[in-house]
Amino acid sequence: MEGNQDSFEMGGKKERLTAEVAVKNRPKEDSNNSPSQPIVIKIKQRLPDFLQSVNLKYVKLGYHQLIKHGMYLVSTPVLILLAAELGRLSVDDILQLWEQLHYNLLSVTVCFSIFVCVATVYSMKKPRQVYLMDFACYKPEDEIKCSMPRFYHLTEAANAFTENSIEFQKKVSERSGLGGDTYLPSGVLSKPPRLSMKEARLEAEAVMFGALDELFEKTGVKPKDVDILIVNCSLFNPTPSLSAMIVNHYKMRGNIKSFNLGGMGCSAGMISIALAKDLLQANPNSHAVVMSMENITLNWYFGNDRSMLLCNCIFRMGGAAILLSNKRKDRKRAKYELVHTVRTHKGADDNSYNCVFQKEDETGSVGVSLSRDLMAVAGDALKTNITTLGPLVLPLSEQILFFCTLFARKVLQMKKVKPYIPDFKLAFEHFCIHAGGRAVLDELQKNLDLTTWHMEPSRMTLHRWGNTSSSSLWYELAYTEAKGRIHRGDRLWQIAFGSGFKCNSAVWKALRPVQAKSPKNPWFDCIDNYPVKVPM
């Protein structure tokens, strides 16, 4: 997502600002000579340097998550030491020990009972491992590709926008980071546009069934083998629900546990993964399918409020289906293991709650308004999320340096001590950051000190597919796989943010190398053309 414009006083002149676009009003004496307004592309609001200001309660929350599994962390080295000690015993030592125990039946019985009880509690309380078997990203037909000239023509032919609004959308599009191969639904591209419930359903069916058909083909899992189904789509929630549409289409079992998440924005995909993880903990030997998507047809904005026009410029068609399993036998076939999920919700704050808001404009046209506070709100949510995640993933050396400087600054009040910024590149080999917009990616790269190589999947996804909302993270992972970068043991961080305001992340560990240039990868026919240089 991108920031939007709003009016405020700066240097005595009014300026309208977005994260990338500023529109400066002409003085009154010049307004009669020219009907148009000059548009200046700039970033006026930056993400806060969230790694330099740390709230201790979120650090504690991260360690609380770590301590929850303290039993396993403590028992594992003890068992290793015990096994090493037993390995040092000779045959005579074992026979002597047996002779001593042979005449002390009570001690043997008590010790064996304690061992059985501890082993039983351990096996019952130990979290079930969650594996990502595979995923599939929807690739639309070439007929609905929306090149930049086609988008400009679509905007001009709509007869709904003023000249200033048309020029505004062109300027934003040119610098949005999107390329000419993104997709829009046929209902939006039609002349005149067909924006109806029927068209919206057709778009949803194309995305969902296209991705799911490929997922079932890749994994060999049958629809009737699915125990849990979770669908997330923020802006299109018909009756019957999208999850019911899937159950009906694939004739799934009557006892399937299905969920439909709506209105949760671009971070809903990670919320769905976290929900699937919790459900798989409670339901052994189960398969879970997550379907992440957004619907464009009924949410194309035909008005002149610039805070709502931004969505037309960056959001595009897409979706992804993911298969998860907690079956031990599936580990050999799985691609990744889910290590951590961290969810952050800032909805209690009014600014955060209102910064992405669906509403009517002055003329009654419905759209999603993006507040000029969006960058600051996103930065605060990201700071909270990574502060909680840090203790779970950062190596001990980074944590020691971080907390030494934090102790000096917060407790000893040594303000001259510079805050230490943990190096998250030591915790992860790959980063999948929600491709919400170029400005946000720029700021995240700077704050997390990431290289161009680390940001490549996010930037190239934005260029090739646009902002596909909650599914963008999976197009990014598909890009990383297509480049042949995934190796066994690699750690991957997916992080997304969305309305509410929420920031959610997931950490995965690769269980095996992933084949590059798989024919089922959405990047298969174009990966050799990437990376490309994106105009600034």
Side-chain angles (χ1 to χ4, degrees):
M1 288 175 295
E2 297 274 5
N4 84 308
Q5 86 296 340
D6 205 340
S7 296
F8 67 97
E9 294 293 328
M10 180 177 180
K13 297 181 179 180
K14 282 191 174 183
E15 299 194 15
R16 296 182 180 274
L17 303 174
T18 73
E20 295 186 355
V21 182
V23 182
K24 186 176 294 185
N25 292 333
R26 291 181 179 276
K28 290 184 178 179
E29 58 271 22
D30 295 339
S31 60
N32 296 327
N33 299 329
S34 176
S36 61
Q37 294 176 313
I39 296 179
V40 182
I41 306 302
K42 58 177 78 173
I43 298 175
K44 297 299 290 183
Q45 197 165 13
R46 306 174 67 87
L47 281 175
D49 200 353
F50 48 85
L51 286 176
Q52 303 228 16
S53 58
V54 177
N55 193 324
L56 287 176
K57 71 176 181 179
Y58 298 119
V59 178
K60 294 177 183 176
L61 182 59
Y63 276 101
H64 173 70
Q65 296 289 335
L66 192 64
I67 293 170
K68 278 174 64 177
H69 305 296
M71 175 182 175
Y72 316 115
L73 296 174
V74 172
S75 60
T76 299
V78 171
L79 291 174
I80 293 174
L81 290 173
L82 181 61
E85 190 64 29
L86 290 174
R88 295 171 55 186
L89 296 177
S90 64
V91 177
D92 292 337
D93 293 333
I94 294 174
L95 291 174
Q96 184 179 358
L97 180 62
W98 172 254
E99 288 295 329
Q100 293 176 0
L101 295 176
H102 185 69
Y103 297 104
N104 196 345
L105 184 61
L106 179 61
S107 298
V108 173
T109 304
V110 171
C111 290
F112 182 74
S113 300
I114 293 174
F115 174 78
V116 170
C117 290
V118 171
T120 302
V121 172
Y122 179 85
S123 61
M124 292 177 64
K125 293 292 185 180
K126 181 181 179 181
R128 293 185 175 88
Q129 300 300 317
V130 176
Y131 306 112
L132 192 159
M133 305 304 298
D134 214 329
F135 64 96
C137 298
Y138 175 64
K139 184 179 179 181
E141 299 295 330
D142 288 344
E143 289 75 14
I144 57 174
K145 274 188 178 179
C146 186
S147 62
M148 285 300 174
R150 190 174 187 180
F151 173 73
Y152 300 154
H153 178 73
L154 172 71
T155 303
E156 293 169 353
N159 295 322
F161 307 110
T162 64
E163 288 297 323
N164 287 338
S165 294
I166 293 173
E167 189 66 21
F168 174 80
Q169 292 182 78
K170 287 182 179 180
K171 292 294 184 181
V172 172
S173 299
E174 288 170 0
R175 292 161 176 81
S176 63
L178 274 68
D181 291 326
T182 60
Y183 302 90
L184 283 174
S186 57
V188 174
L189 294 174
S190 299
K191 299 178 183 179
R194 301 191 307 268
L195 308 183
S196 63
M197 178 65 75
K198 179 181 178 181
E199 286 293 330
R201 284 183 181 275
L202 290 174
E203 179 192 350
E205 290 172 357
V207 174
M208 293 191 302
F209 302 157
L212 288 168
D213 285 347
E214 184 175 317
L215 179 69
F216 292 139
E217 181 182 349
K218 290 171 73 173
T219 60
V221 172
K222 298 178 180 179
K224 288 187 179 293
D225 295 332
V226 177
D227 305 281
I228 299 165
L229 173 64
I230 303 171
V231 180
N232 66 266
C233 182
S234 188
L235 294 173
F236 182 58
N237 294 283
T239 300
S241 66
L242 297 175
S243 59
M245 290 168 63
I246 293 174
V247 171
N248 176 261
H249 180 78
Y250 291 101
K251 309 304 177 188
M252 291 178 165
R253 301 200 316 257
N255 64 343
I256 189 171
K257 298 174 177 63
S258 64
F259 302 84
N260 203 97
L261 307 183
M264 305 193 81
C266 299
S267 68
M270 292 297 96
I271 296 175
S272 296
I273 294 296
L275 176 58
K277 173 188 174 183
D278 293 340
L279 291 169
L280 288 170
Q281 296 302 319
N283 297 274
N285 297 314
S286 298
H287 282 132
V289 167
V290 172
M291 181 69 226
S292 292
M293 60 169 292
E294 193 50 85
N295 193 283
I296 304 292
T297 301
L298 289 180
N299 297 288
W300 197 255
Y301 175 62
F302 289 96
N304 294 288
D305 186 326
R306 292 184 176 179
S307 69
M308 300 180 181
L309 285 172
L310 287 168
C311 292
N312 289 5
C313 301
I314 59 176
F315 280 92
R316 293 296 182 264
M317 186 179 180
I322 305 98
L323 177 64
L324 304 174
S325 173
N326 61 7
K327 299 181 180 182
R328 291 184 180 179
K329 66 178 183 179
D330 285 339
R331 180 183 175 88
K332 294 181 179 179
R333 298 192 302 120
K335 281 186 173 182
Y336 306 94
E337 179 183 341
L338 182 58
V339 183
H340 301 292
T341 56
V342 176
R343 294 176 57 181
T344 301
H345 203 310
K346 291 289 186 177
D349 175 69
D350 289 342
N351 254 2
S352 300
Y353 175 75
N354 291 310
C355 71
V356 181
F357 210 90
Q358 187 179 27
K359 61 182 182 179
E360 297 95 349
D361 64 11
E362 294 178 352
T363 63
S365 297
V366 177
V368 177
S369 174
L370 307 181
S371 163
R372 70 183 179 91
D373 296 324
L374 180 57
M375 296 286 280
V377 168
D380 184 52
L382 283 164
K383 179 187 72 176
T384 301
N385 192 272
I386 66 174
T387 303
T388 305
L389 182 67
L392 301 174
V393 298
L394 287 171
L396 185 60
S397 58
E398 288 294 294
Q399 295 195 44
I400 291 173
L401 288 170
F402 174 73
F403 281 104
C404 284
T405 56
L406 184 65
F407 181 82
R409 289 173 58 85
K410 297 286 185 178
V411 179
L412 302 181
Q413 299 296 313
M414 299 171 64
K415 299 302 182 183
K416 292 185 178 180
V417 176
K418 293 183 178 180
Y420 179 73
I421 303 175
D423 187 358
F424 278 86
K425 297 190 295 294
L426 297 176
F428 306 108
E429 284 74 34
H430 309 286
F431 296 80
C432 292
I433 300 170
H434 170 53
R438 198 192 70 190
V440 175
L441 294 179
D442 289 344
E443 290 302 311
L444 280 171
Q445 179 176 0
K446 178 183 176 182
N447 276 275
L448 291 175
D449 193 27
L450 301 179
T451 65
T452 301
W453 186 87
H454 288 119
M455 296 298 296
E456 187 180 304
S458 298
R459 294 191 185 278
M460 296 307 103
T461 294
L462 183 64
H463 181 272
R464 173 64 180 85
W465 307 95
N467 182 347
T468 61
S469 190
S470 58
S471 64
S472 66
L473 297 175
W474 301 103
Y475 287 95
E476 294 167 20
L477 181 52
Y479 179 90
T480 307
E481 290 184 353
K483 283 292 185 180
R485 297 178 180 178
I486 301 296
H487 305 286
R488 184 175 181 177
D490 282 0
R491 297 155 298 177
L492 168 77
W493 183 18
Q494 290 181 315
I495 186 163
F497 40 92
S499 60
F501 192 87
K502 298 175 288 294
C503 178
N504 304 297
S505 58
V507 177
W508 304 89
K509 180 181 178 181
L511 299 177
R512 58 180 173 86
V514 177
Q515 175 189 357
K517 295 186 178 180
S518 168
K520 295 296 182 182
N521 190 301
W523 295 87
F524 176 71
D525 62 348
C526 63
I527 190 62
D528 292 333
N529 300 327
Y530 284 89
V532 298
K533 185 176 181 180
V534 180
M536 299 299 290

